[in-house]
Amino acid sequence: MAFREIKPEELNFNPFQRIGKQWMLITAGNESGYNTMTASWGGAGVMWGKPSVTAYIRPQRYTKEFVDREGTFTLSFYGEEYRKALNLFGTVSGKDRDKIKEAGFTPYFTDGTVAFEEAEVILVCRKMYADEIKPEKFIDKKAEEKWYPQKDYHTMYIAEVEKVLIKE
């Protein structure tokens, strides 16, 4: 598959739809090892004067080990025909099964990180900041009760979008 690079500001992208409804993959690692997971929480905008994204990962997710270890990760977006694969990536751990092979996805290595050839859009992201969501910081206590009954608070990553690749 061929991808073409565009500037982040050229991306025609509705984050509410693409992240929240269609989902995305968070992928990190390199040719010697990588993992991916489905996410429906995140954001896109500008932070510290840079095109940026936020991504959120719970501590028990295997992909978190790769995101924490590496300086970069990718966020990638897919057509509806990949919904079943995205569901698999969100429910099966790469520690237990080769879910990437099972889904029939093809790794695409770029800029020292990895995404998949099946993607429509790939954001290559460089981490700038990470911190755990803290229970004492919740203003909306109902959100904490609803989303964290097991107290497994996400780590929030803020990352610069260094490159945007779109499928040709």
Side-chain angles (χ1 to χ4, degrees), residues 38-58:
T38 302
S40 63
W41 289 12
V46 177
M47 187 71 177
W48 301 313
K50 298 176 180 181
S52 303
V53 293
T54 58
Y56 302 84
I57 305 177
R58 289 190 193 268

